Amino acid sequence: MLEIKDLHVSVDGKEILKGLNLSVDAGQVHAIMGPNGAGKSTLSYVLSGREGYHVTDGSVTYKGRDLLAMETDERACEGIFLAFQYPVEIPGVNSSYFLKAAVNARRRYRGEPEMNAMEFMKLTKEKMQVVEMKQELLARSVNEGFSGGEKKRNEIFQMAVLEPELTILDETDSGLDIDALRIVAGGVNALRNEQRSMIVVTHYQRLLDYIRPDHVHVLADGIIVKSGDEKLALELEEKGYSWLEKSA
Amino acid sequence: MNNIIEHYRGEHAATKDRLPGAGLDWLDTSRDAALTIFGEKGFPARGMEDWKYTNVRPIEKRPFRLARETASDAAIDTRLCGDMACHRIVFVDGRYSRHLSEPGNPSAPITVKDLHTALLEDADTLEAHLGKIADVSRNGFSALNMALMNDGACISIADNAVPERPIHLMFLSSGKEEITSQTRILVMAGAGSQATIIESYHSATGNVYFNNITTEIRVAADASVEHYKLQHESNKAFHIATLHVEQARDSTFTSFSVSMGAQLARNDINIWMNDEGANCDLYGLYMADGRQHTDFHTRIDHASPHCNSREIYKGILDGHARAVFNGQVHIHPDAQKSAAEQTNNNLLLSRNAEVDTKPQLEIHADDVTASHGATIGQLDDNMIFYLRSRGLDYHTAHALLVYGFAHDIVEKMTIEPLRHHLQATLAGRIPGLDRPHELASGG
Ligand SMILES: Nc1ncnc2c1ncn2[C@@H]1O[C@H](COP(=O)(O)OP(=O)(O)O)[C@@H](O)[C@H]1O
Ligand SMILES: [Mg+2]
């Protein structure tokens, strides 16, 4: 599904990712953990095609295609979804209008008929229940005035509606209380199947009790310094990151 | 300069026997006096502080003429807002068109009359009120309007009357070249009344003409008036409009001013809050592209204590467009407990567009709250990235954000058909915006 090879990325002339390798197969969940500033968000952004993130070396292949040659919206239409660490508030843009436009952009891309208002309502109603999100949020401007928790839930709600093939969750757990965390994880797990892959970026092991990963990687200073299974996350929880940084 | 003054003197001489109220001594005298003032002042020069960024020389270069007769048709759908029920008075090339108007039998508590009829039937009332808020010597445009006013409307709302339907004054330009309309509007809202007045300006073609409008609105105690002004002139037109409002005790005045068309549009909005407890909200939205020039000058006088004012003006500029916003707020020495808020936000979609924005607060009382803020910015890259990361293409993301910028003004409009009209207008101006009516919150 996703093959990252020797990826080097610079921002403002400063190298952030320094030769990262990662291979994600269909149906797998990979957790990426690491200290603040390691480059986790940079990796998330570079996979979604954000401007200002310059790939200086390496390659990223997604479903057999050169991902780096694709525009952000094309990547989205091809099934990539980033749940933002800091979801963006967009004043004056109605949430429902925006999400329907996103759904139909994908459908057009795939040559499918567009969804009408009735179908869309039915879909959103169903998905809102999954993340226990209040219906009224859909009537408001995108993320505007949402609480931190509501913003994160809205990301998962959008994910549930858009049904991506590759989801990148960038610290979706930060700022969530335990109940919200369980709900968000439930939304993510509901989407898991043999075709869909996920990259779960997190700072804390806690989330991985709910979203259980197939592989765990530690990202430090722009490269993956250690990979393992779930147990690695527990080990990190216990010992912190410093022992790894020294050995790297 | 002298030539153009001679030209308008000639227009006055040639039409004065047929202008509204011709033969009324007081009015003939006022017109003559105004013509003298115009002769002295001419059109505002660039050296004047109020006209620093707005060059009216192009208006001076053309000998615009008053329409000599009323056109019977203007090839424009007068149902601006679908089938919105309203009292509609239509003007073509500045002259009242009985044929196109649908006054809808306004009944006793309200009267809506064209200027000719009003000056025939209610001369005494007009003598007492016409030109009493507007200052004829303010500048050459004010003087010229008084001297030549060739039509317009007079609206009177009885005490405590609450007309169900808005009153819509619709001004159409037929496509005849080089016409000037010197339009005069007088609104008197009686104590405790509530009314909605719409002024809208449209053109059938992209021709050159010059609209010079003076509107006076008197809001009596406890009355509430909502005033909408929609400027959709031809992109070659000149549009100069001055709104004067005087508010009595505990009255409320709300203004929406949308400026989309014209090569040069200048809106002056002057609010005088004369007595305690008055409240005014001014909202504006301007959009300019190509070489369009748009200018808003607002002035709010807090002449009494305990009055509130709020202004939100938003501008979207593309191409080589230029916008000016100047917001004066004067809080008079006795006007304690005044609250004034002013915001002007501008969105630049092109590096060649320009904005000059200037708040001017003069505060002569000590127990007041006053704030102002002005911004000039571009679309936010974070927002564009967020929308695109969900699959929206660049153009759609761009269009949505431009719409989103204007949305809070749209949303404040209380009349639904007008809101839809503005959304549709925005969609027309922002390529890539589908189904704009679905953008409304809650829908
Ligand atoms: N726009 C930027 N300009 C300069 N440096 C940046 C920018 N964005 C991130 N960085 C730097 O890149 C490094 C990695 O950041 P980030 O990817 O956000 O880390 P993480 O998500 O792992 O905490 C940090 O040192 C951060 O300061
Ligand atoms: Mg991060």
Side-chain angles (χ1 to χ4, degrees):
Chain A
M1 162 99 42
L2 183 75
E3 189 75 45
I4 304 173
K5 281 191 183 146
D6 191 33
L7 186 66
H8 292 256
V9 174
S10 295
V11 183
D12 288 340
K14 182 181 159 205
E15 185 163 66
I16 310 289
L17 298 184
K18 304 172 178 172
L20 187 138
N21 292 289
L22 182 69
S23 173
V24 179
D25 287 340
Q28 289 184 342
V29 173
H30 288 240
I32 295 185
M33 304 184 69
N36 279 327
K40 303 184 297 293
S41 291
T42 301
L43 175 64
S44 308
Y45 288 143
V46 113
L47 293 176
S48 342
R50 186 178 196 138
E51 276 173 34
Y53 291 75
H54 302 289
V55 176
T56 53
D57 209 350
S59 66
V60 182
T61 314
Y62 171 68
K63 296 199 288 191
R65 289 180 60 192
D66 177 7
L67 183 72
L68 301 176
M70 291 153 66
E71 293 284 329
T72 296
D73 41 299
E74 190 183 355
R75 296 181 198 200
C77 289
E78 281 288 351
I80 292 184
F81 181 91
L82 168 63
F84 283 59
Q85 180 173 4
Y86 304 107
V88 182
E89 295 195 14
I90 308 189
V93 175
N94 176 262
S95 292
S96 173
Y97 182 99
F98 152 65
L99 193 55
K100 184 157 165 263
V103 165
N104 284 330
R106 260 158 226 255
R107 292 183 149 237
R108 275 196 306 274
Y109 182 85
R110 298 200 201 113
E112 295 164 10
E114 292 194 17
M115 207 174 241
N116 65 31
M118 289 287 279
E119 295 165 320
F120 178 73
M121 270 211 352
K122 188 164 166 277
L123 175 69
T124 52
K125 212 166 174 174
E126 178 191 316
K127 301 296 185 184
M128 285 192 123
Q129 277 164 7
V130 177
V131 290
E132 296 180 28
M133 198 168 102
K134 280 175 271 168
Q135 189 83 27
E136 75 201 39
L137 292 183
L138 207 51
R140 306 226 308 243
S141 295
V142 178
N143 291 321
E144 196 187 26
F146 287 26
S147 70
E150 283 171 339
K151 282 181 186 165
K152 294 298 180 86
R153 267 189 222 204
N154 190 28
E155 295 292 286
I156 301 308
F157 163 65
Q158 292 176 30
M159 178 201 74
V161 168
L162 296 170
E163 302 191 323
E165 286 157 84
L166 175 65
T167 299
I168 304 150
L169 301 170
D170 189 1
E171 298 210 25
T172 299
D173 51 335
S174 61
L176 291 185
D177 62 32
I178 199 75
D179 290 328
L181 188 70
R182 205 177 287 130
I183 291 162
V184 160
V188 173
N189 288 328
L191 206 69
R192 277 178 85 161
N193 67 21
E194 310 82 69
Q195 273 86 52
R196 299 208 177 99
S197 312
M198 289 176 192
I199 295 174
V200 182
V201 171
T202 179
H203 196 69
Y204 303 103
Q205 184 275 336
R206 183 176 78 145
L207 177 67
L208 304 180
D209 287 339
Y210 299 96
I211 305 173
R212 302 191 52 185
D214 301 299
H215 299 275
V216 175
H217 311 275
V218 181
L219 178 63
D221 196 21
I223 51 166
I224 286 179
V225 293
K226 199 169 173 61
S227 296
D229 58 14
E230 278 183 282
K231 285 194 228 90
L232 177 58
L234 291 164
E235 207 174 336
L236 284 169
E237 181 77 359
E238 210 172 294
K239 300 188 192 166
Y241 293 108
S242 50
W243 60 284
L244 283 167
E245 280 172 63
K246 272 174 210 122
S247 67
Chain B
M1 180 81 161
N2 285 330
N3 283 347
I4 201 70
I5 289 169
E6 276 318 308
H7 165 73
Y8 286 114
R9 283 204 181 112
E11 283 297 286
H12 177 256
T15 57
K16 67 176 182 191
D17 296 340
R18 282 174 292 152
L19 289 174
L24 292 169
D25 280 348
W26 63 270
L27 188 57
D28 288 344
T29 308
S30 298
R31 285 184 188 274
D32 289 345
L35 197 61
T36 305
I37 295 170
F38 176 67
E40 286 159 12
K41 291 191 182 275
F43 289 119
R46 211 118 179 227
M48 293 169 70
E49 183 60 29
D50 275 4
W51 298 85
K52 200 157 127 192
Y53 301 109
T54 297
N55 178 14
V56 300
R57 290 292 78 82
I59 304 178
E60 212 174 278
K61 284 195 192 131
R62 292 166 185 272
F64 293 103
R65 291 161 50 87
L66 293 171
R68 296 297 195 264
E69 59 237 15
T70 307
S72 60
D73 200 4
I76 294 184
D77 188 355
T78 53
R79 287 167 308 155
L80 166 70
C81 307
D83 291 324
M84 181 175 79
C86 62
H87 305 288
R88 183 174 297 119
I89 309 297
V90 180
F91 300 81
V92 180
D93 295 333
R95 295 181 57 135
Y96 171 58
S97 165
R98 193 176 303 277
H99 166 68
L100 292 173
S101 296
E102 298 169 65
N105 301 322
S107 47
I110 64 165
T111 61
V112 183
K113 292 177 182 174
D114 65 280
L115 201 58
H116 275 276
T117 308
L119 282 162
L120 279 176
E121 295 177 359
D122 314 313
D124 292 348
T125 313
L126 268 79
E127 184 178 1
H129 292 287
L130 191 71
K132 292 292 146 46
I133 316 177
D135 173 12
V136 66
S137 58
R138 183 183 153 80
N139 61 44
F141 291 116
S142 310
L144 187 64
N145 181 277
M146 187 69 207
L148 292 185
M149 57 183 182
N150 64 327
D151 214 331
C154 180
I155 297 167
S156 144
I157 297 145
D159 289 355
N160 301 313
V162 184
E164 251 169 62
R165 291 178 278 167
I167 297 153
H168 183 185
L169 308 176
M170 189 172 203
F171 298 87
L172 311 178
S173 164
S174 70
K176 275 200 222 107
E177 284 296 333
E178 315 280 302
I179 294 283
T180 182
S181 303
Q182 301 288 329
T183 299
R184 190 74 179 206
I185 299 165
L186 176 65
V187 178
M188 291 165 290
S193 67
Q194 280 176 36
T196 301
I197 317 284
I198 305 163
E199 279 176 49
S200 71
Y201 297 84
H202 314 264
S203 167
T205 56
N207 57 320
V208 184
Y209 54 91
F210 165 36
N211 276 347
N212 183 25
I213 304 129
T214 299
T215 302
E216 293 175 281
I217 302 181
R218 190 179 290 281
V219 190
D222 295 309
S224 167
V225 171
E226 246 184 40
H227 179 255
Y228 290 83
K229 179 166 177 286
L230 310 174
Q231 186 272 103
H232 299 300
E233 306 276 27
S234 129
N235 274 3
K236 288 196 189 143
F238 299 97
H239 180 98
I240 307 282
T242 310
L243 170 65
H244 298 272
V245 179
E246 194 175 291
Q247 291 189 246
R249 181 177 284 257
D250 296 325
S251 65
T252 299
F253 178 75
T254 309
S255 153
F256 288 91
S257 192
V258 176
S259 183
M260 299 274 183
Q263 68 164 291
L264 190 167
R266 164 77 178 232
N267 277 284
D268 282 63
I269 297 175
N270 299 301
I271 311 289
W272 187 276
M273 294 196 283
N274 209 14
D275 208 340
E276 295 189 21
N279 186 69
C280 77
D281 295 287
L282 310 183
Y283 302 108
L285 178 64
Y286 44 95
M287 254 180 125
D289 195 353
R291 302 224 165 245
Q292 283 183 290
H293 181 107
T294 165
D295 180 346
F296 272 91
H297 267 65
T298 66
R299 175 176 172 144
I300 300 174
D301 277 272
H302 284 253
S304 282
H306 295 282
C307 292
N308 297 320
S309 68
R310 181 159 69 141
E311 292 177 82
I312 305 176
Y313 283 81
K314 290 198 159 194
I316 301 169
L317 290 313
D318 205 344
H320 287 77
R322 180 108 191 237
V324 181
F325 176 82
N326 185 282
Q328 292 190 40
V329 176
H330 292 250
I331 299 185
H332 293 214
D334 299 329
Q336 302 299 356
K337 307 281 180 198
S338 294
E341 243 179 82
Q342 181 186 92
T343 320
N344 173 231
N345 303 125
N346 297 279
L347 179 59
L348 297 186
L349 299 177
S350 142
R351 63 180 75 228
N352 296 315
E354 243 184 278
V355 177
D356 291 289
T357 173
K358 187 176 169 197
Q360 260 180 286
L361 272 53
E362 284 189 25
I363 300 174
H364 299 289
D366 43 32
D367 187 10
V368 302
T369 59
S371 66
H372 63 85
T375 61
I376 300 172
Q378 278 114 40
L379 287 181
D380 183 323
D381 288 338
N382 271 328
M383 295 185 193
I384 292 183
F385 174 64
Y386 188 81
L387 296 176
R388 293 186 75 196
S389 78
R390 300 313 187 230
L392 273 58
D393 62 51
Y394 179 82
H395 291 288
T396 307
H398 192 270
L400 264 182
L401 293 178
V402 174
Y403 175 82
F405 176 83
H407 179 76
D408 58 344
I409 302 289
V410 178
E411 202 180 38
K412 288 197 171 68
M413 293 191 160
T414 52
I415 301 180
E416 195 181 16
L418 281 184
R419 221 162 45 229
H420 287 169
H421 162 77
L422 184 56
Q423 283 173 328
T425 306
L426 283 167
R429 287 285 289 257
I430 310 170
L433 210 57
D434 281 349
R435 301 191 185 92
H437 56 278
E438 290 181 15
L439 278 159
S441 296

